[in-house]
Amino acid sequence: MERDSNGGSDVGRDYERDFGDEAPAALRDSPPDYLAPIDADAPVSGHQPAPEPTTSPVEAPEQDWTRARDLLYPAFRPVGTQGLPVDAIDRETLVARASQSHAQPLLDVGPAELPVVYTIDAGAYDIIVNGDHLLAWGVEPSEIQDAAIRNLAAWSATAPWTDEVSGDRRLISSDTGNGWDAVRILLPEVVAHLTAELGPAGRILVGLPERHLLTAGSLRPGDDDFATLFADFIVEHSGGADEPIDRRVFELVDGRLVEFTGIHPPA
């Protein structure tokens, strides 16, 4: 009860004010029948029923190699990543211990000791391939490696490059946002492209600060400041990344990715 603002007597609550334009609540005139059949089509708390699955769980990529092989891609991980080394996998041992979990990711070693894992592209997220997947698919590790590189090469063949020029300095980057930019450096054709574009002007510096970025620049003779600026950019970009890879500066030497040792090339 509250006092009328005009000084009148106490009045009841203003339900129209409290509930706005909502329809008045319906009052029961009988108790609910708890034994009545449940209406299967009735919404629950306003939610709609989940859509019916269109495929069987056994047809999911995690179980079906014929589906997974077209969705596999390699991916870099930071140094120190733990996993099941691909070159040490013994399928007979895994099969003998099939009742145990083998949830560790398959782990490869890439250039400059960068860890490489293999992923199933699930659209909005990736599934890291592990020992259990290997057992479910019944394939050899080499088949996973070959399929991942083949899919990466097919994507890379049409993925764009960003070319930036400032005076005599030039940067070529891959930053498509698809998640396979940094790992493109595994492809011989990508190494050949960077060598052809940047090699004639000087040494080729490469940065892999995060999963979504591969950047390369030409270190021209007499432009020692560029190496410092490039290194600072890599450290800053890696520090703010959601999926960082490495803060080191790398260099392409004779088609190989090695760690950059300074402005003076090794003898």
Side-chain angles (χ1 to χ4, degrees):
M1 301 292 288
E2 59 186 13
R3 177 68 61 178
D4 186 348
S5 60
N6 296 323
S9 60
D10 291 340
V11 295
R13 293 182 59 85
D14 186 350
Y15 289 101
E16 184 175 355
R17 180 193 64 197
D18 293 344
F19 295 105
D21 296 331
E22 293 182 4
L27 300 178
R28 287 185 177 275
D29 56 8
S30 62
D33 184 1
Y34 294 108
L35 300 181
I38 297 175
D39 183 359
D41 297 325
V44 178
S45 300
H47 295 289
Q48 298 298 321
E52 293 293 330
T54 57
T55 59
S56 167
V58 298
E59 295 176 339
E62 297 93 321
Q63 303 294 330
D64 186 351
W65 169 247
T66 60
R67 291 175 59 85
R69 65 188 176 192
D70 296 328
L71 301 173
L72 290 173
Y73 291 87
F76 284 136
R77 284 295 183 269
V79 172
T81 297
Q82 301 296 309
L84 186 62
V86 170
D87 58 1
I89 290 177
D90 183 349
R91 276 192 53 81
E92 293 184 0
T93 301
L94 288 180
V95 171
R97 300 175 180 174
S99 60
Q100 302 177 9
S101 174
H102 303 284
Q104 280 193 310
L106 302 189
L107 192 65
D108 228 332
V109 180
E113 303 300 314
L114 284 169
V116 178
V117 298
Y118 297 94
T119 67
I120 305 171
D121 176 27
Y125 59 94
D126 290 328
I127 302 168
I128 305 297
V129 176
N130 57 35
D132 290 328
H133 294 124
L134 187 68
L135 286 175
W137 292 335
V139 299
E140 295 295 330
S142 60
E143 296 180 73
I144 295 175
Q145 295 169 311
D146 292 344
I149 291 296
R150 182 175 62 250
N151 295 334
L152 178 65
W155 168 80
S156 180
T158 58
W161 294 94
T162 300
D163 201 332
E164 302 175 68
V165 178
S166 177
D168 292 333
R169 293 172 176 171
R170 184 183 180 195
L171 280 178
I172 296 178
S173 303
S174 176
D175 53 356
T176 66
N178 288 334
W180 307 307
D181 295 285
V183 81
R184 291 177 83 174
I185 199 66
L186 291 179
L187 300 173
E189 52 267 36
V190 167
V191 172
H193 172 71
L194 296 177
T195 301
E197 293 292 326
L198 300 173
R203 298 166 66 184
I204 305 171
L205 303 186
V206 176
L208 305 170
E210 62 155 320
R211 178 185 178 187
H212 298 285
L213 178 63
L214 182 163
T215 187
S218 183
L219 177 60
R220 302 173 65 89
D223 190 12
D224 298 347
D225 290 342
F226 177 73
T228 301
L229 294 172
F230 189 85
D232 290 344
F233 170 79
I234 298 303
V235 170
E236 180 180 356
H237 206 87
S238 179
D242 291 332
E243 298 180 85
I245 294 177
D246 205 296
R247 297 188 175 192
R248 292 177 292 172
V249 174
F250 302 99
E251 181 179 6
L252 283 177
V253 179
D254 297 329
R256 297 181 300 107
L257 189 73
V258 299
E259 187 171 354
F260 179 62
T261 56
I263 58 176
H264 300 293

